Amino acid sequence: MKPLFSIITVTYNAAEVIGRTLDSIKLQRCGDYEYVVIDGASTDGTLSQVEASGISNMRIVSERDNGLYDAMNKGLREARGEYVIFLNAGDAFTASDALDRLAAKAAEGDYDILYGQTQLVDEAGHVLGGRHLAAPPVLTAASFKQGMVVCHQAFVVRRMIASQYDLNYRFSSDYEWCIRCLRQSRGNGYVGEKPLVNFLVAAGGTTERHRWASLRERFGIMCRYYGFIPTAIRHLLFVPRFLREKRRMKKVIRENTR
């Protein structure tokens, strides 16, 4: 019998942060999952921590890959569960009932996508607050005109509609993938305002280092799905939002490092 969830973690030399991910999975009261670790041939203590975690029903693939989205595609090919969840190194479920909440929502109807809220945390585990875009109670493909309104880690997709990530996108393939999944979905189930996952905001991480390249790529994706002129107009409205969020995050981080 296949598990309800396939939790997929992509890692590479993540020994400093993988512990919080592993701990949050071990704490889940719902045991109807498999755990798939796709490791990029780490040379630090990442694999030893994963192997010593004691998580049941776990499979590990450790080999060189061609980047994050190539590794995530491997995770999709390895997955056997009804739904797939990407919880990458450093990210974590917020509480022991996260999978219970997702399972309860799945039992309510024939949902192809389950989703919820995300909170941001720093490398010390301090909660920085919610994302600047909150997940809406009603989600459609058109919702992503406003940006990535649901964090990828809180976006749980039925495996049968979860096609491979487009490797033509180096930094924003997750955004394009979510839109594709939503366009195929027959129904989307919102699990409520209580955050599902903690998303690690790492100083110098991939998102931060390639922010502008990611934004340019995302603009192209928006034009592809939603049209150039509407996307250009919306981006004029995004600028004040982006600057406000940047100031807010700097203030929160500064307060947490005092």
Side-chain angles (χ1 to χ4, degrees):
M1 182 177 179
K2 67 182 180 182
L4 183 60
F5 301 109
S6 291
I7 305 169
I8 303 168
T9 295
V10 170
T11 68
Y12 178 67
N13 286 348
E16 292 186 0
V17 297
I18 189 66
R20 71 181 69 185
T21 307
L22 300 171
D23 288 344
S24 78
I25 294 170
K26 288 167 62 178
L27 288 171
Q28 292 306 300
R29 294 198 298 257
C30 172
D32 194 5
Y33 68 85
E34 64 171 358
Y35 187 41
V36 179
V37 178
I38 306 296
D39 179 72
S42 292
T43 56
D44 64 356
T46 300
L47 284 176
S48 60
Q49 289 189 55
V50 173
E51 291 166 351
S53 67
I55 296 174
S56 60
N57 201 15
M58 177 169 62
R59 296 197 307 283
I60 302 171
V61 176
S62 184
E63 61 188 18
R64 295 184 65 85
D65 55 54
N66 293 315
L68 175 64
Y69 296 118
D70 178 49
M72 291 167 79
N73 280 341
K74 289 182 184 180
L76 287 174
R77 291 193 293 270
E78 285 287 328
R80 301 292 180 266
E82 184 174 352
Y83 293 93
V84 293
I85 305 172
F86 281 95
L87 198 67
N88 288 337
D91 302 323
F93 293 119
T94 56
S96 60
D97 67 346
L99 286 184
D100 277 333
R101 293 169 60 207
L102 288 166
K105 193 66 185 181
E108 288 180 9
D110 190 22
Y111 296 115
D112 283 334
I113 293 173
L114 309 169
Y115 71 99
Q117 303 291 351
T118 305
Q119 62 186 11
L120 308 179
V121 299
D122 64 16
E123 290 165 305
H126 299 128
V127 176
L128 304 177
R131 300 175 71 241
H132 68 290
L133 292 176
V138 177
L139 182 69
T140 67
S143 303
F144 272 59
K145 290 179 181 179
Q146 301 302 320
M148 199 154 183
V149 294
V150 181
C151 184
H152 190 269
Q153 286 77 354
F155 190 85
V156 179
V157 180
R158 194 186 297 275
R159 184 169 55 87
M160 295 303 294
I161 71 164
S163 56
Q164 297 274 286
Y165 290 84
D166 187 338
L167 300 185
N168 291 310
Y169 299 113
R170 291 184 61 200
F171 309 113
S172 296
S173 191
D174 52 349
Y175 175 69
E176 191 273 339
W177 182 83
C178 288
I179 296 173
R180 263 191 290 131
C181 290
L182 283 164
R183 286 162 67 97
Q184 296 180 70
S185 176
R186 297 166 300 168
N188 310 314
Y190 178 52
V191 300
E193 294 184 4
K194 180 182 176 183
L196 274 176
V197 296
N198 289 332
F199 175 75
L200 175 63
V201 180
T206 301
T207 301
E208 189 65 30
R209 291 197 311 271
H210 302 291
R211 178 174 295 279
W212 292 110
S214 176
L215 290 174
R216 286 194 299 272
E217 208 170 73
R218 190 171 297 188
F219 181 83
I221 294 167
M222 286 182 172
C223 291
R224 171 183 169 185
Y225 284 102
Y226 305 121
F228 172 76
I229 292 176
T231 295
I233 292 172
R234 275 191 295 273
H235 270 70
L236 294 175
L237 302 176
F238 290 169
V239 172
R241 185 183 77 184
F242 172 78
L243 295 175
R244 284 195 304 271
E245 177 61 12
K246 191 172 182 180
R247 287 194 298 269
R248 183 185 76 86
M249 289 301 296
K250 282 185 176 180
K251 180 181 178 182
V252 171
I253 292 170
R254 188 169 58 248
E255 290 174 349
N256 281 329
T257 54
R258 285 176 180 172

